[in-house]
């Protein structure tokens, strides 16, 4: 469980339901972008669901372009791009 998640009121969506809805919307956006240009490279952000950082995620490569989190891709001779998504966890000292 994540720190900060509170139980939801009766009838409100759970964090898991919210994450699934967000994932479906994000996949729709990635699919639309892939229709515009076949070479789609993307990096998940700090508010994206955890599964976007998992290589087994369907959008990691294939139908929705290539998720380059934690990877380096060659775009052209002498041109490379590195992807590092999200952010580090906040800590208290």
């Amino acid at each position: 469980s994540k720190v900060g998640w509170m139980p939801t009121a009766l009838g409100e969506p759970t964090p898991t339901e919210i994450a699934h809805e967000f994932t479906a919307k994000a996949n729709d956006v990635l699919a639309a972008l892939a229709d515009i240009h076949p070479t789609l490279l993307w990096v998940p952000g700090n508010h994206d669901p955890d599964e976007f950082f998992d290589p087994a995620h369907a959008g990691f490569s294939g139908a929705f372009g290539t998720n380059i989190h934690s990877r380096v891709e060659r775009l052209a001779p002498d041109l490379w791009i590195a992807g590092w998504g999200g952010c580090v966890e906040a800590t208290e000292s």
Side-chain angles (χ1 to χ4, degrees):
S1 81
K2 293 189 179 227
V3 174
W5 282 115
M6 298 294 293
T8 59
L10 187 61
E12 290 184 5
T14 66
T16 300
E17 291 168 334
I18 293 169
H20 286 302
E21 181 180 343
F22 177 85
T23 300
K25 289 178 181 179
N27 283 337
D28 289 345
V29 170
L30 291 172
L33 290 171
D35 284 343
I36 294 170
H37 196 279
T39 307
L40 174 65
L41 303 176
W42 61 280
V43 179
N46 62 317
H47 292 283
D48 285 330
D50 291 342
E51 61 260 22
F52 276 38
F53 295 88
D54 181 357
H57 180 261
F60 213 83
S61 63
F64 303 132
T66 302
N67 179 334
I68 61 168
H69 169 69
S70 188
R71 296 177 43 191
V72 176
E73 291 286 324
R74 182 177 178 187
L75 300 177
D78 300 322
L79 180 60
W80 297 79
I81 187 169
W84 191 256
C87 67
V88 297
E89 288 190 34
T91 59
E92 294 182 21
S93 299

